[in-house]
Amino acid sequence: MTNSLLTTTLLKTSTDFQSPTFGRLTFDKMLTQVAEYLAADLNHKYRLIIGSDSQSTNTGEKQIDYVTAFIVHRVGAGGIYFWNRTTGGRVFSLRERIYTEALLSLQVAQNLIENFSRFGIAQYDLEIHVDVGNQGETREMINEVVGMVRSSGFKVKTKPDSFGASKVADRYT
C-alpha cells in the first residue's frame, strides 16, 4: 500500500536531512549525530519521534509540499531534530494528504529502524506523531490513521500531543 500511493503521486523526496544545529546532512551523517547525542548523556530518558506535515504550494503548478521531521527529545533537557522535504503530486483532498503524511512518516521510521543497529541505537522505540485530532476536519479520520500506524508496530500520538507533526514539521512547510 505504501509504495503504490507514494509512487503514483510522483513525489520527490530529498535524501538529505536539514538540521538547525548541524546543517545539511546525509542520512548516515544524521544517524551519526543522533548516536553521538544519545551517547553524550546516558542518564536521561529519550523519545525518538517522527512527524510529517503538508502545505499546498503557491507556485504556478499547484503541488503539495511535505516535511517529515525526526526529533530526538532528551526528556527534561531539550533535544535535536532533523527534517527533509518531499514535493510533488497533485493537490490532494485532506484525507489523501493526511494519509500521505502518515505514510511518509512510516517510511522514514522503517528506514531508521533498518539502520539503527549500525549506529548502536537499536534499543530505542520510535513514536509517530500524526496531524489528526478530536477537533476540526480530521476528527473523522483519527481511528483510521491511528490504526494504520499502530498496525505498523509504532506508538502513535495525535493532537494536541503530536508536536512532531503539528509544531516541528509544520515549521518548515
Side-chain angles (χ1 to χ4, degrees):
M1 179 176 170
T2 300
N3 289 340
S4 64
L5 177 61
L6 294 180
T7 55
T8 59
T9 58
L10 302 174
L11 299 177
K12 181 182 176 199
T13 302
S14 169
T15 56
D16 289 344
F17 281 76
Q18 300 286 331
S19 166
T21 307
F22 305 106
R24 187 179 189 102
L25 301 167
T26 65
F27 184 79
D28 280 358
K29 292 217 186 280
M30 175 189 69
L31 284 179
T32 299
Q33 292 297 331
V34 169
E36 289 174 5
Y37 186 76
L38 293 168
D41 190 345
L42 299 174
N43 295 322
H44 273 90
K45 179 181 175 188
Y46 291 91
R47 292 173 61 198
L48 303 175
I49 300 159
I50 299 168
S52 296
D53 190 49
S54 63
Q55 187 74 29
S56 179
T57 63
N58 290 329
T59 60
E61 264 186 54
K62 288 272 189 181
Q63 292 189 357
I64 305 297
D65 183 27
Y66 297 92
V67 170
T68 301
F70 173 41
I71 300 110
V72 181
H73 178 207
R74 186 178 283 157
V75 178
I80 57 173
Y81 69 91
F82 308 86
W83 58 273
N84 78 341
R85 186 176 310 281
T86 301
T87 57
R90 60 182 170 77
V91 176
F92 292 143
S93 68
L94 177 61
R95 177 174 294 281
E96 290 172 305
R97 282 176 53 183
I98 294 295
Y99 270 101
T100 302
E101 289 174 12
L103 289 169
L104 286 167
S105 291
L106 288 169
Q107 192 173 51
V108 169
Q110 189 60 44
N111 198 11
L112 288 168
I113 287 171
E114 289 171 2
N115 288 281
F116 271 177
S117 61
R118 291 189 303 128
F119 294 87
I121 50 179
Q123 71 271 25
Y124 296 96
D125 292 327
L126 291 170
E127 66 185 56
I128 307 289
H129 288 196
V130 292
D131 206 13
V132 297
N134 290 317
Q135 306 294 317
E137 296 177 79
T138 61
R139 71 181 171 274
E140 295 174 7
M141 298 183 298
I142 196 166
N143 290 333
E144 300 167 29
V145 176
V146 166
M148 180 178 73
V149 173
R150 281 190 182 144
S151 69
S152 297
F154 297 99
K155 296 176 187 175
V156 62
K157 298 283 186 184
T158 60
K159 289 179 181 177
D161 300 319
S162 60
F163 64 87
S166 61
K167 298 290 184 229
V168 179
D170 178 71
R171 172 181 251 179
Y172 297 96
T173 55

